[in-house]
Amino acid sequence: MPLTAGLGFKLQHLDDALAATAPGLWFEVHAENYMVDGGPRLAALRALRDRFPISLHGVGLSLASAEPPSDSHLDRLKILAERIEPFQMSDHLAWQKWEGVHHSDFLPFPRTAAALQIVMDNVDRVQTVLKRAILVENPSLYVDLPGHDFSEGEFLEALAKATGCGLLLDVNNLFVSAHNLGFTAAAALDAISPVLIQEVHLAGHSRDGDPSSGLLIDTHGAEVADPVWSLYRRLVDRVGARPTLIERDDDIPVFDVLMDERDQAHHILRRRHALV
């Protein structure tokens, strides 16, 4: 059965998830929530893995940081991967660590040749420890820093060619970044090489709570917006079927509501590519 559309797994949905029978269904978890030696979270993930393919999505490698991923973090991530045997592993094109402080946001950086070397070194380090290629996700951007040598797409393509990593394309992040920075999302989407894209994320966003701000915020707390669905259809028409995840990390509804969005993505893939 080809993997089509999946869901970000939440522990409160365990019983519903284990009972699900949708074709091609898979689940993704934030790796750091399960990098433990035992207990109910790991037991739940193992039960889910017995029934469905799992993708591990990291939020703590800080791939664009001048400080490389720590040995202890990588060791625990490797142990989790050996336990779960995920079909994909991923993290973000951003930095979070500086002088011993780990920030909760995915922070931007000037996409320079020097920054590319740092990210290449960090991705190489991660892949060497894990003994597998990872995917790197485009983050949402809220400010356009000066000094770029590459567009985001060019940077990711150079990174992939140098390290063998792939791209996790978050369509909502691209839409949010385009709105906030004033570029055209469809043109940026079309510029990405299809061979790089190995997984897709879809999520919801909201307007900034400050009424004077025109920013969109990648909240993962709402349903996927119609313009993001349109971009996703455009992507699938151009590059073909890719495993596609519905993400929801805030204001989480009941399982069936998320499955409705998951089924919408599944039907887009099925209609265009004769999937089951």
Side-chain angles (χ1 to χ4, degrees), residues 2 8 30 85 114 118 158 160 195 204 209 213 233:
H30 289 164
E85 297 181 325
I118 288 171
V195 299
S213 169
R233 292 185 184 94

Side-chain angles (χ1 to χ4, degrees), residues 165-188:
C165 73
L167 171 61
L168 193 172
L169 177 59
D170 191 310
V171 179
N172 180 68
N173 288 0
L174 181 64
F175 179 82
V176 167
S177 296
H179 173 90
N180 291 340
L181 274 57
F183 63 86
T184 303

Side-chain angles (χ1 to χ4, degrees), residues 189-227:
L189 190 77
D190 292 347
I192 298 172
S193 172
V195 299
L196 298 181
I197 304 169
Q198 298 180 31
E199 186 181 321
V200 176
H201 277 187
L202 298 172
H205 59 263
S206 302
R207 293 200 171 272
D208 191 351
D210 181 350
S212 66
S213 169
L215 292 176
L216 294 180
I217 307 298
D218 176 33
T219 59
H220 290 191
E223 63 184 14
V224 179
D226 288 342

